[in-house]
């Protein structure tokens, strides 16, 4: 049982380049999330999905796009990378069940540097 | 949105010491969780605790929902307890809002 798998672990992008951060989970969780963590800060929600075909913006969505074609996969797309997107990106998943323990599980993160 | 404040921002402990971390939140919550981010960056779910008290080994947590705060206790600290401890809350939409964290350094 792999949990939440993120690839790549590290990446250096040049300003203006694009890339996709991959995230896959094998726990059959309905809910998936993308967060970014800037140095010395807590995590901020970029996008989330409550099921295949459904996505919504979080706190800091500008400059990113997502899709959710399957329950397992939730890729994050960066278009026209900017230095402000230098951060560590975490994918997470949980199962539905409002009011209970959601089984929140995080991936190991992708460290992205834009130069 | 809901505000989540953690204190202290930094904590340095001698191995074997006890400590208390605090999380204050500005509104009623459906969910409160404590996470530990180890020095390698991995986030581990410690407690789901919207109210009451829970214990897991040397760690325990208490949430007083009516007064909008939660406490995380570390007893007999070990060097492996080092890292950043995050409090995160959710208000009914499955999205967690994180505090800025408390960085704990345990010295041998």
């Amino acid at each position: 049982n792999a949990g939440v798998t993120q690839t790549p672990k590290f990446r250096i992008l040049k300003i203006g380049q694009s890339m996709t951060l991959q995230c896959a989970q094998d726990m059959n969780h309905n809910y998936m999330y993308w967060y970014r963590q800037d140095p010395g800060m807590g995590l901020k929600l970029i996008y989330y999905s409550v099921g295949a075909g459904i996505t919504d913006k979080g706190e800091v969505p500008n400059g990113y796009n997502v899709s959710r074609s399957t329950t397992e996969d939730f890729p994050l797309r960066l278009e026209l990378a900017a230095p402000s997107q230098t951060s560590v990106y975490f994918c997470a998943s949980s199962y539905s069940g409002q009011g209970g323990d959601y089984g929140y599980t995080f991936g190991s993160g992708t460290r992205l540097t834009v130069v | 949105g809901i505000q989540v404040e953690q204190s202290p921002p930094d904590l340095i402990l001698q191995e074997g010491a006890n400590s208390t971390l605090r999380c204050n939140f500005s509104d009623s919550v459906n969910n409160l969780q404590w996470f530990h981010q180890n020095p390698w960056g991995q986030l581990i779910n410690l407690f789901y605790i919207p109210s009451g008290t829970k214990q897991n080994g040397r760690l325990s947590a208490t949430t007083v929902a009516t007064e909008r705060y939660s406490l995380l206790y570390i007893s007999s600290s070990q060097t492996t307890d080092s890292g950043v401890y995050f409090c995160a809350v959710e208000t009914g939409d499955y999205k967690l809002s994180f505090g800025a964290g408390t960085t704990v350094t345990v010295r041998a």
Side-chain angles (χ1 to χ4, degrees):
Chain A
N1 193 342
V4 178
T5 303
Q6 288 184 239
T7 56
K9 294 190 183 305
F10 303 94
R11 183 71 186 268
I12 298 175
L13 278 183
K14 292 185 178 180
I15 295 172
Q17 287 186 320
S18 301
M19 76 164 294
T20 299
L21 282 65
Q22 301 291 344
C23 175
Q25 54 93 6
D26 61 359
M27 299 171 286
N28 203 31
H29 282 174
N30 291 342
Y31 292 75
M32 296 188 75
Y33 315 82
W34 276 104
Y35 290 90
R36 60 178 285 173
Q37 184 181 23
D38 298 327
M41 305 290 286
L43 280 69
K44 293 189 176 181
L45 184 65
I46 305 171
Y47 270 95
Y48 69 102
S49 168
V50 301
I54 306 169
T55 63
D56 207 347
K57 296 178 180 178
E59 188 180 356
V60 288
N62 291 344
Y64 307 94
N65 277 301
V66 294
S67 60
R68 184 98 180 270
S69 57
T70 67
T71 299
E72 295 78 18
D73 299 300
F74 191 41
L76 177 71
R77 178 81 177 163
L78 278 72
E79 304 283 1
L80 298 175
S84 61
Q85 293 178 304
T86 294
S87 189
V88 180
Y89 292 83
F90 288 96
C91 179
S93 71
S94 66
Y95 54 81
S96 59
Q98 194 170 10
D101 188 351
Y102 306 149
Y104 238 91
T105 305
F106 280 85
S108 57
T110 295
R111 186 175 296 274
L112 175 68
T113 302
V114 181
V115 296
Chain B
I2 191 168
Q3 303 301 310
V4 183
E5 295 180 352
Q6 292 187 243
S7 60
D10 299 282
L11 193 58
I12 299 176
L13 301 172
Q14 202 63 36
E15 199 169 29
N18 303 328
S19 64
T20 301
L21 284 60
R22 187 176 179 102
C23 172
N24 293 331
F25 43 97
S26 61
D27 204 347
S28 300
V29 298
N30 281 7
N31 178 9
L32 187 146
Q33 295 192 314
W34 284 96
F35 294 91
H36 176 223
Q37 187 171 39
N38 66 25
W40 296 270
Q42 181 68 41
L43 281 152
I44 305 298
N45 197 339
L46 295 176
F47 291 104
Y48 160 76
I49 185 163
S51 63
T53 297
K54 288 187 178 180
Q55 181 154 7
N56 184 0
R58 296 179 295 100
L59 299 181
S60 63
T62 295
T63 298
V64 183
T66 53
E67 297 187 22
R68 299 181 182 168
Y69 72 88
S70 183
L71 302 174
L72 179 69
Y73 305 98
I74 305 174
S75 64
S76 303
S77 58
Q78 300 178 358
T79 56
T80 53
D81 295 329
S82 295
V84 184
Y85 290 81
F86 289 106
C87 169
V89 301
E90 180 262 315
T91 56
D93 57 4
Y94 303 97
K95 296 177 287 184
L96 289 177
S97 294
F98 283 76
T102 293
T103 300
V104 174
T105 304
V106 181
R107 293 180 173 164

